[in-house]
Amino acid sequence: MDLGLKSKTAVVTGASIGIGRAIAKGLAAEGVRVVAVARRKELLDQLVQEVGGNSITPFEQDVMAKDSAEKLSAFALKELGRVDILINNAGGSRPLPVDAPDSKWDEAIALNFTSYRRIAHA
């Protein structure tokens, strides 16, 4: 399938497994240069080997880490020159009871909203 994305650039967070990995592979197959972001370097390295070529550049980063958005932005711009597509996929859902402590709610919001906002802004 040709989605008309050849020569575009993308950043995909949560690219080591699941949907993020599939998106990174799919974009690379369409001719997109991808910075694949995840915490687990060994899984990113496997992804690069599976795809082959130079279409995926791995970046080991926890999106919850301090200054992660700025570090990711700087790396992506250095590697890609520009970012056409951003897939904010890192994170996940953890069941939280309604009476969970605020610290658990704060963590869930930071992972699934605040980190995405920071990355998009950077």
Side-chain angles (χ1 to χ4, degrees):
M1 175 183 291
D2 182 1
L3 298 175
L5 298 175
K6 189 174 173 104
S7 300
K8 297 291 185 184
T9 62
V11 171
V12 180
T13 67
S16 62
I17 60 171
I19 293 170
R21 184 182 190 86
I23 290 170
K25 287 176 82 170
L27 288 171
E30 288 290 322
V32 176
R33 291 179 21 238
V34 177
V35 167
V37 184
R39 294 173 295 156
R40 293 174 279 190
K41 183 180 181 335
E42 66 280 358
L43 294 176
L44 288 173
D45 291 343
Q46 288 174 8
L47 173 63
V48 170
Q49 287 179 344
E50 287 174 22
V51 171
N54 295 322
S55 56
I56 293 187
T57 302
F59 185 64
E60 182 183 1
Q61 179 69 57
D62 181 346
V63 299
M64 293 285 285
K66 184 177 185 201
D67 299 330
S68 63
E70 292 79 11
K71 290 176 184 175
L72 172 53
S73 175
F75 181 83
L77 291 174
K78 182 182 119 222
E79 292 296 318
L80 303 173
R82 68 183 193 284
V83 176
D84 298 314
I85 302 163
L86 171 61
I87 306 294
N88 264 322
N89 180 68
S93 62
R94 294 175 183 92
L96 283 177
V98 73
D99 60 348
D102 283 350
S103 61
K104 293 296 183 186
W105 284 102
D106 291 344
E107 179 183 304
I109 290 169
L111 179 60
N112 292 301
F113 173 73
T114 307
S115 66
Y116 289 4
R117 181 190 55 78
R118 286 181 179 153
I119 291 168
H121 180 77

